[in-house]
Amino acid sequence: MREIIVFPDESSQADGAATLFIADAASAIASDGWFSVALAGGSTPESTYRLLATEPYAERVDWSRVHVFWGDERCVSADDPQSNYRMTRETLLERVPLPAENIHRMPGERGPEEGARAYAAELAAFFGSRWPAFHLVLLGMGRDGHTASLFPASQALQVQDRPVAGVTAGEAGGRIARITLTAQAINAADHVVFLVAGVEKAATVKGVLEGPPDQYPAQRISPTSGRLTLLLDREAAQRLERTKWESGQ
Ligand code: 6PG
């Protein structure tokens, strides 16, 4: 099931994303006793993370039952300004009462291959013998249609049998090497949510949603049995033809 919600601006989009996070957390904790969420990197989700750390949002989450993972991480130290972990720590993790043992950081500093193996072991330790199935995966989308660190040229797009893969700098279009969840791991989630904002993403959003299939990595994201939600601001949605998706908050 796919849902597209268009918000008038980035702040209402952040409110929508934070409200969705709270609802998914409450539902997962009620049914399973815990909430496993893989956070997105990049800049778009920052406003959502900051909002979640403030009242009245923060008090509506039982942080003691939340387990935080990442969709991808750059191969840098945890304190590097490029680190997705550092961004999430500064905007959210250090501002809410989340137990340290509930933070399952991707060890980017160990490099793409060793780091991917280590993270797969971390997922196995948490999910046991079951294939990792997050309650919620938050994703961004690049202008080239990449998501997490599934770039157009990356071998990680072809990985079918592992939940985590390494991405070399070359595969990442000259960006820094990364570790990423594979499409198969993301698609096993109960709920996958894209957060996309800005006019510079409008052409890509149109291509991903209304263009031919298999053109963009983001088109590989199709939850096996879970829900897919796209939270767009009006700018990112401006080239979509399907006016039925207009449902600003
Ligand atoms: C990363 C992200 C990446 C990001 C997109 C969009 O590590 O860079 O995981 O997939 O979500 O590149 O980035 P912006 O939100 O900054 O546009």
Side-chain angles (χ1 to χ4, degrees):
M1 186 184 91
R2 181 175 80 175
E3 181 184 23
I4 297 167
I5 303 176
V6 179
F7 295 91
D9 51 40
E10 206 164 339
S11 65
S12 58
Q13 180 191 39
D15 171 73
T19 304
L20 180 153
F21 181 105
I22 290 164
D24 279 12
S27 170
I29 291 166
S31 62
D32 298 337
W34 76 92
F35 175 53
S36 58
V37 54
L39 299 178
S43 57
T44 304
E46 288 186 32
S47 48
T48 298
Y49 299 153
R50 292 187 197 285
L51 211 50
L52 275 171
T54 62
E55 299 313 345
Y57 301 88
E59 67 193 7
R60 293 168 55 195
V61 178
D62 179 354
W63 295 101
S64 70
R65 306 265 187 136
V66 176
H67 284 265
V68 170
F69 301 81
W70 277 261
D72 70 333
E73 182 56 279
R74 291 83 180 271
C75 289
V76 294
S77 74
D79 289 324
D80 188 295
Q82 295 186 81
S83 163
N84 287 335
Y85 165 77
R86 174 173 162 171
M87 178 273 288
T88 51
R89 186 188 69 213
E90 291 173 345
T91 54
L92 176 60
L93 304 185
E94 64 191 17
R95 302 177 179 200
V96 293
L98 186 73
E101 62 270 21
N102 290 19
I103 298 176
H104 307 270
R105 186 179 66 84
M106 267 189 178
E109 69 282 2
R110 296 178 64 173
E113 293 314 317
E114 185 188 326
R117 281 194 298 274
Y119 207 60
E122 174 93 19
L123 294 180
F126 183 80
F127 289 101
S129 56
R130 286 185 314 122
W131 180 265
F134 297 98
H135 289 116
L136 174 63
V137 176
L138 295 177
L139 294 172
M141 190 186 293
R143 292 180 64 173
D144 60 358
H146 79 259
T147 190
S149 282
L150 300 170
F151 292 93
S154 62
Q155 287 305 308
L157 273 174
Q158 315 310 328
V159 173
Q160 296 287 330
D161 59 347
R162 284 174 284 134
V164 192
V167 180
T168 64
E171 290 175 305
R175 301 173 182 85
I176 201 152
R178 281 111 179 286
I179 302 168
T180 186
L181 293 184
T182 58
Q184 196 172 18
I186 294 168
N187 287 334
D190 292 345
H191 195 188
V192 179
V193 176
F194 277 98
L195 264 173
V196 189
V199 65
E200 71 280 5
K201 303 285 177 73
T204 307
V205 166
K206 180 178 180 58
V208 167
L209 291 178
E210 296 180 347
D214 299 328
Q215 306 300 304
Y216 302 96
Q219 291 175 308
R220 292 290 184 86
I221 305 307
S222 176
T224 310
S225 56
R227 293 183 291 152
L228 175 62
T229 302
L230 291 96
L231 303 181
L232 310 174
D233 76 344
R234 199 178 297 279
E235 284 192 345
Q238 70 178 5
R239 293 186 54 177
L240 291 178
E241 291 164 16
R242 309 279 290 274
T243 51
K244 79 176 179 70
W245 291 333
E246 281 296 326
S247 60
Q249 297 300 309

